[in-house]
Amino acid sequence: MVDDKKLEIAGRKFRSRLLVGTGKYKDNQAMVAAHEASGAEVVTVAVRRVDLSRGTEEAMLNFIDTDKYFILPNTAGCYCVDDAVRTARLGREAGMSEWVKLEVIGDEKTLLPDVVGLLEATRILVAEGFKVMPYTSDDLIVARMLEDAGAVAVMPLASPIGSGMGILNPINIRFIKEAVSVPVIVDAGVGTASDAAVAMELGVDGLLMNTGIAAAGDPVAMARAMKLAVESGRLAYLAGRMELKQYASASSPTSGMIE
Amino acid sequence: MITITVNGELRQVQSGATVADLLRELGIGERRVAVECNREIVKKERYGQAGLGDGDVLEIIEFVGGG
């Protein structure tokens, strides 16, 4: 049987190809249970001002076992290079890791990335020693530019953040996978398990999702469904699917029929 | 007293106060935060020596849920 290697990003090996977010859960207990069921090792977090009016509330990070999970700060909500770079630096200081999921958003309604700003911010942060994982459009030219700029992975969107619309343009995702040598992690848009399987069947290295799990009726059940779908899609990709045919091809012998 | 801006809000602190003093006063000395003063990161190991000056603009952040 095919032997799958581990997901490896910038020399670090991860046992799961599913990366999960920490946003939109009804409470921290639900989040912890979903993370557990997902089998994920990497969890993303956002960087925000401490709310000084409620200083006694327990910090979200206290609920996450940082010996077990690798914390990946993001720059979500940043609309310019300067904000994204400052947020990444703050995240590094708070997280004590050089890794960042870099977002430079260009449009409020679609949350699509500003790829020009993204490329500039990637160059700045790579020069400062960051391991940059940019959230990008499904454009292979941009993906290649990000790789050339030193990104340790590229993370094209499947459909807009939080939309759950699935893989809108599978061929573009495949083009990106063929065009770059760094890992390709599909980030955003996965709504249900079949979307995750489709993404993995395209040959991408991993999948990052938040809303698909957190906004499900039962996030723990969906987390497990996503775990299985990612493994299943990956295995199907490695197995090599059968050739598509236009007409039927009998599975049973056509000779030896009774008369 | 001097006036500084913390997370967008004006605040009075004792002149000579450090970042460590401010975090203690805000009740977040034990939290995993990161601090930026006038757009430059203040390293944790320097909180005790980093003095605050009149008009300083600080951002104090922590991790929250996100994707």
Side-chain angles (χ1 to χ4, degrees):
Chain A
M1 201 174 100
V2 286
D3 182 24
D4 194 9
K5 288 191 281 238
K6 284 188 168 182
L7 169 62
E8 184 173 339
I9 309 171
R12 190 182 173 115
K13 290 189 170 112
F14 298 99
R15 60 176 178 271
S16 170
R17 293 180 179 275
L18 176 59
L19 296 74
V20 295
T22 53
K24 299 184 185 172
Y25 284 96
K26 81 174 184 321
D27 54 46
N28 287 315
Q29 286 74 18
M31 174 188 78
V32 169
H35 286 176
E36 188 66 34
S38 75
E41 185 177 1
V42 179
V43 301
T44 57
V45 294
V47 172
R48 289 293 179 271
R49 282 174 166 172
V50 175
D51 185 348
L52 300 173
S53 61
R54 9 167 255 186
T56 54
E57 193 178 311
E58 195 167 0
M60 188 268 296
L61 208 62
N62 290 353
F63 291 86
I64 297 174
D65 180 355
T66 50
D67 291 330
K68 198 165 147 194
Y69 293 101
F70 182 73
I71 305 296
L72 179 63
N74 70 28
T75 64
C78 293
Y79 281 82
C80 65
V81 173
D82 191 45
D83 285 354
V85 167
R86 284 170 64 201
T87 301
R89 288 174 185 152
L90 282 162
R92 171 162 72 176
E93 186 60 24
M96 291 168 290
S97 129
E98 320 274 85
W99 295 60
V100 61
K101 174 187 155 176
L102 184 64
E103 293 187 31
V104 181
I105 302 298
D107 178 65
E108 277 183 40
K109 197 167 169 182
T110 60
L111 298 179
L112 290 174
D114 163 4
V115 295
V116 176
L118 184 67
L119 193 57
E120 191 184 335
T122 298
R123 290 196 180 109
I124 293 168
L125 292 170
V126 166
E128 293 182 16
F130 279 86
K131 306 258 190 288
V132 180
M133 297 174 67
Y135 157 73
T136 184
S137 62
D138 61 358
D139 181 319
L140 85 89
I141 315 298
V142 174
R144 204 182 267 148
M145 287 172 166
L146 290 165
E147 178 179 39
D148 290 345
V152 296
V154 290
M155 304 209 291
L157 58 100
S159 51
I161 293 173
S163 72
M165 284 194 282
I167 322 296
L168 291 185
N169 209 336
I171 196 70
N172 276 3
I173 301 291
R174 198 192 298 260
F175 284 162
I176 291 176
K177 180 56 200 163
E178 287 170 9
V180 301
S181 55
V182 291
V184 176
I185 314 281
V186 165
D187 179 6
V190 168
T192 189
S194 53
D195 298 336
V198 167
M200 295 308 294
E201 284 171 16
L202 294 170
V204 299
D205 302 275
L207 212 52
L208 197 164
M209 67 177 83
N210 189 156
T211 313
I213 294 172
D218 180 343
V220 174
M222 187 58 90
R224 179 160 158 72
M226 292 298 189
K227 173 188 198 281
L228 295 172
V230 167
E231 288 173 6
S232 177
R234 176 68 183 173
L235 201 53
Y237 166 73
L238 292 173
R241 62 153 298 151
M242 64 164 280
E243 192 188 334
L244 274 174
K245 296 187 184 105
Q246 196 170 359
Y247 296 106
S249 160
S251 304
S252 306
T254 50
S255 61
M257 299 296 295
I258 56 163
E259 286 182 18
Chain B
M1 299 293 272
I2 55 168
T3 304
I4 59 173
T5 305
V6 182
N7 289 358
E9 290 183 7
L10 290 175
R11 195 174 182 93
Q12 302 263 313
V13 293
Q14 294 289 340
S15 52
T18 63
V19 169
D21 296 331
L22 175 68
L23 295 178
R24 212 172 301 122
E25 192 186 310
L26 293 169
I28 53 174
E30 303 303 310
R31 287 177 91 114
R32 186 174 197 158
V33 300
V35 179
E36 189 192 62
C37 181
N38 302 328
R39 305 169 80 87
E40 296 289 334
I41 296 286
V42 183
K43 293 268 180 199
K44 269 178 196 60
E45 51 276 18
R46 292 202 55 252
Y47 287 172
Q49 305 114 63
L52 297 168
D54 197 41
D56 279 352
V57 178
L58 286 99
E59 295 286 348
I60 306 174
I61 66 84
E62 66 181 339
F63 291 136
V64 300

